[in-house]
Amino acid sequence: MSPQPINRSPDLKRLRDEGYDIEIRAGYLLVKDVPYVDANRQVKRGILVSELSLAGDVTTVPNTHVAMFAGEYPCYKDGSRISQIENQSARRELAQNLIIDHTFSSKPTTGSYKDYYEKIATYVAIISSQAEAIAGVTAKTSPVIVPDTEENSVFNYVDTASSRVGIGAISQKLELGKVGIIGVGGTGSYVLDLVAKTP
């Protein structure tokens, strides 16, 4: 995904600059490599997922305080579940190659999070504090950022509507292949070249 929404949004840029491994996929914000403790008191890593609200290429106030998680249910050091965020546990496909196992709810006293930095930092602190106490691990892995030049087009945008209504997996099945415009000869005429993506 294009780094534009990350670079243009101060909250997402702050998350990345502080070392979080973030990605925008199918209208969702993913925070990868979040350490947690499982029921057997083993430290593992999961993915924290949040719906993403954008105005153009810039984030707006998160439209929900709920977050999702791919992995086993996070526990305290003693192996008991972190019940303060418990909402729903059900495996669900949000989009192609994006499956979550749990939904968490941690509503701030103000009623909503002011930005994605506050939302993500809050959930990461709750989930990973127990793993940090056991093994000294953190979600700030500072991954190498590889620029994706193919996706840096003014015609490429993040579909956040599908994620808001939970039809990301269906929308991805309807995606068209790449469309390119190729010049023909020196006459200035153009022909559309539809190149289908193959799995």
Side-chain angles (χ1 to χ4, degrees):
M1 180 60 226
S2 166
Q4 284 186 347
I6 295 173
N7 290 336
R8 294 183 179 176
S9 304
D11 50 354
L12 299 185
K13 188 173 183 318
R14 184 177 174 191
L15 285 168
R16 189 188 61 199
D17 290 349
E18 288 190 8
Y20 290 100
D21 187 357
I22 63 173
E23 176 188 341
I24 296 173
R25 188 189 312 167
Y28 294 93
L29 173 63
L30 281 65
V31 183
K32 298 180 271 186
D33 289 327
V34 176
Y36 67 96
V37 176
D38 70 4
N40 296 319
R41 300 186 299 180
Q42 299 295 312
V43 174
K44 296 190 175 180
R45 290 192 178 261
I47 301 173
L48 185 65
V49 181
S50 174
E51 290 179 10
L52 190 62
S53 299
L54 295 173
D57 276 346
V58 181
T59 56
T60 60
V61 175
N63 64 355
T64 179
H65 67 276
V66 174
M68 295 159 279
F69 191 71
E72 296 175 50
Y73 196 94
C75 298
Y76 291 109
K77 291 185 293 185
D78 64 3
S80 62
R81 292 163 71 100
I82 301 176
S83 58
Q84 74 186 71
I85 58 172
E86 191 167 3
N87 185 10
Q88 185 179 38
S89 292
R91 193 163 179 82
R92 191 167 57 124
E93 183 180 22
L94 300 177
Q96 187 176 8
N97 299 322
L98 181 56
I99 297 171
I100 56 107
D101 300 294
H102 309 284
T103 305
F104 300 144
S105 177
S106 179
K107 193 170 190 174
T109 55
T110 57
S112 64
Y113 292 104
K114 66 179 181 179
D115 60 18
Y116 283 96
Y117 179 85
E118 181 184 30
K119 180 178 182 179
I120 296 304
T122 299
Y123 277 103
V124 167
I126 294 169
I127 294 168
S128 66
S129 62
Q130 303 301 306
E132 190 171 357
I134 290 175
V137 292
T138 176
K140 296 179 181 181
T141 58
S142 298
V144 175
I145 300 166
V146 180
D148 189 356
T149 56
E150 181 181 314
E151 300 283 334
N152 289 334
S153 166
V154 294
F155 300 109
N156 194 3
Y157 65 95
V158 179
D159 173 20
T160 58
S162 295
S163 64
R164 282 195 303 271
V165 293
I167 60 168
I170 296 167
S171 295
Q172 283 187 325
K173 290 179 183 177
L174 300 174
E175 281 183 357
L176 296 175
K178 297 178 183 177
V179 177
I181 299 176
I182 300 174
V184 178
T187 63
S189 60
Y190 293 94
V191 64
L192 286 177
D193 179 23
L194 299 174
V195 181
K197 290 182 184 175
T198 56

